[in-house]
Amino acid sequence: FSVEIVVSDTGPGIAPDKVERVFEAYYTTKPRGSGLGLAVVKHNAELYGGSVRVESELGKGSTFILHFPVQED
Protein backbone atom coordinates (compact mmCIF):
# COMPACT_ATOMS: atom_id res chain seq x y z
CA PHE A 1 0.00 0.00 0.00
CA SER A 2 1.04 3.61 -0.48
CA VAL A 3 -0.18 7.16 -0.10
CA GLU A 4 0.18 9.71 -2.86
CA ILE A 5 -0.20 13.46 -2.33
CA VAL A 6 -0.53 15.65 -5.41
CA VAL A 7 -0.13 19.43 -5.28
CA SER A 8 -0.70 21.45 -8.45
CA ASP A 9 -0.67 25.10 -9.42
CA THR A 10 -1.52 27.10 -12.52
CA GLY A 11 1.55 29.34 -12.35
CA PRO A 12 4.14 29.98 -15.05
CA GLY A 13 5.64 26.50 -14.84
CA ILE A 14 9.29 25.51 -14.68
CA ALA A 15 11.57 25.62 -17.70
CA PRO A 16 12.71 22.17 -18.86
CA ASP A 17 16.37 23.10 -18.32
CA LYS A 18 15.63 24.04 -14.70
CA VAL A 19 13.20 21.31 -13.65
CA GLU A 20 16.02 18.85 -12.90
CA ARG A 21 17.54 21.28 -10.39
CA VAL A 22 14.52 22.33 -8.32
CA PHE A 23 15.32 19.87 -5.52
CA GLU A 24 18.96 21.03 -5.16
CA ALA A 25 19.76 22.88 -1.95
CA TYR A 26 20.21 26.64 -2.47
CA TYR A 27 18.98 26.54 -6.06
CA THR A 28 16.46 29.28 -6.75
CA THR A 29 15.24 31.33 -9.69
CA LYS A 30 13.59 33.92 -7.48
CA PRO A 31 15.15 37.21 -6.34
CA ARG A 32 14.17 36.44 -2.75
CA GLY A 33 14.35 33.06 -1.12
CA SER A 34 16.91 30.61 0.13
CA GLY A 35 16.36 27.80 -2.35
CA LEU A 36 15.90 25.36 0.51
CA GLY A 37 12.15 24.70 0.42
CA LEU A 38 11.98 21.89 -2.13
CA ALA A 39 15.30 20.44 -0.95
CA VAL A 40 13.78 20.09 2.53
CA VAL A 41 10.62 18.51 1.08
CA LYS A 42 12.73 15.95 -0.82
CA HIS A 43 14.89 15.20 2.21
CA ASN A 44 11.88 14.69 4.49
CA ALA A 45 10.05 12.52 1.97
CA GLU A 46 13.10 10.29 1.59
CA LEU A 47 13.59 10.20 5.36
CA TYR A 48 10.24 8.40 5.60
CA GLY A 49 10.94 6.08 2.66
CA GLY A 50 9.06 8.20 0.16
CA SER A 51 9.83 10.21 -2.92
CA VAL A 52 8.84 13.42 -4.64
CA ARG A 53 8.80 14.28 -8.32
CA VAL A 54 7.71 17.22 -10.40
CA GLU A 55 5.88 17.55 -13.70
CA SER A 56 5.80 21.00 -15.22
CA GLU A 57 4.91 22.74 -18.44
CA LEU A 58 5.73 26.36 -19.18
CA GLY A 59 2.64 28.52 -19.17
CA LYS A 60 0.49 25.79 -17.63
CA GLY A 61 1.84 25.24 -14.13
CA SER A 62 3.51 22.55 -12.08
CA THR A 63 2.49 19.41 -10.24
CA PHE A 64 4.45 17.90 -7.36
CA ILE A 65 3.75 14.27 -6.52
CA LEU A 66 4.77 12.91 -3.13
CA HIS A 67 4.68 9.16 -2.71
CA PHE A 68 4.91 7.40 0.66
CA PRO A 69 4.83 3.67 1.37
CA VAL A 70 2.44 2.53 4.09
CA GLN A 71 3.90 0.06 6.54
CA GLU A 72 1.63 -2.79 7.43
CA ASP A 73 1.73 -4.25 10.91
Side-chain angles (χ1 to χ4, degrees), residues 8-58:
S8 297
D9 67 36
T10 57
I14 304 166
D17 63 325
K18 295 183 170 110
V19 76
E20 294 295 324
R21 299 192 62 199
V22 297
F23 296 108
E24 290 179 21
Y26 304 108
Y27 178 76
T28 183
T29 60
K30 301 189 187 285
R32 292 177 50 149
S34 65
L36 288 175
L38 290 173
V40 169
V41 168
K42 182 177 188 272
H43 173 78
N44 287 339
E46 291 173 350
L47 186 67
Y48 290 98
S51 63
V52 60
R53 65 185 167 88
V54 61
E55 297 173 356
S56 188
E57 189 174 341
L58 284 177

Side-chain angles (χ1 to χ4, degrees), residues 1-4 45-50 67-73:
F1 293 103
S2 64
V3 173
E4 191 171 88
E46 291 173 350
L47 186 67
Y48 290 98
H67 184 265
F68 296 97
V70 175
Q71 293 183 357
E72 297 182 44
D73 291 330

